[in-house]
């Protein structure tokens, strides 16, 4: 199973980039939505990767977020 990683980069000017790796389908959007809200919710641009258009794989593993 691929590892799911969310990377958050903040530029010196205050710009924020959130990158979700290892997700399939719309699960990346679900995984990052709370982070986007906490960071101000002002999403300016979303770039979907090819994995976004791939159906998710059924999993018995629970999704756990640690900060």
């Amino acid at each position: 199973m691929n590892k799911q990683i969310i990377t958050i980069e903040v530029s010196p000017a205050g710009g924020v980039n959130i990158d979700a790796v290892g997700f399939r389908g719309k699960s990346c959007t679900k995984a990052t939505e709370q982070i986007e809200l906490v960071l101000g919710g002002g999403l300016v641009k979303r770039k979907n990767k090819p994995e976004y258009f791939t159906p998710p794989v059924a999993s018995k593993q629970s999704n756990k977020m640690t900060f």
Side-chain angles (χ1 to χ4, degrees), residues 8 10 16 18 31-43 65 67:
I8 304 169
V10 181
V16 178
I18 302 172
T32 60
E33 68 184 352
Q34 293 298 314
I35 297 169
E36 293 171 13
L37 288 172
V38 168
L39 293 174
L43 180 66
M65 297 178 80
F67 296 94

Side-chain angles (χ1 to χ4, degrees), residues 21-36:
V21 177
F23 293 85
R24 293 180 66 174
K26 296 180 180 181
S27 63
C28 59
T29 304
K30 184 73 174 167
T32 60
E33 68 184 352
Q34 293 298 314
I35 297 169
E36 293 171 13

Side-chain angles (χ1 to χ4, degrees), residues 3 5 7 13 17 19 28-30 36 38-39 43 45-47 54 60 62 64 67:
K3 196 176 216 180
I5 299 172
T7 304
N17 182 45
D19 187 22
C28 59
T29 304
K30 184 73 174 167
E36 293 171 13
V38 168
L39 293 174
L43 180 66
K45 183 178 175 185
R46 181 183 302 269
K47 182 177 178 186
T54 306
K60 293 181 181 179
S62 66
K64 199 171 168 184
F67 296 94

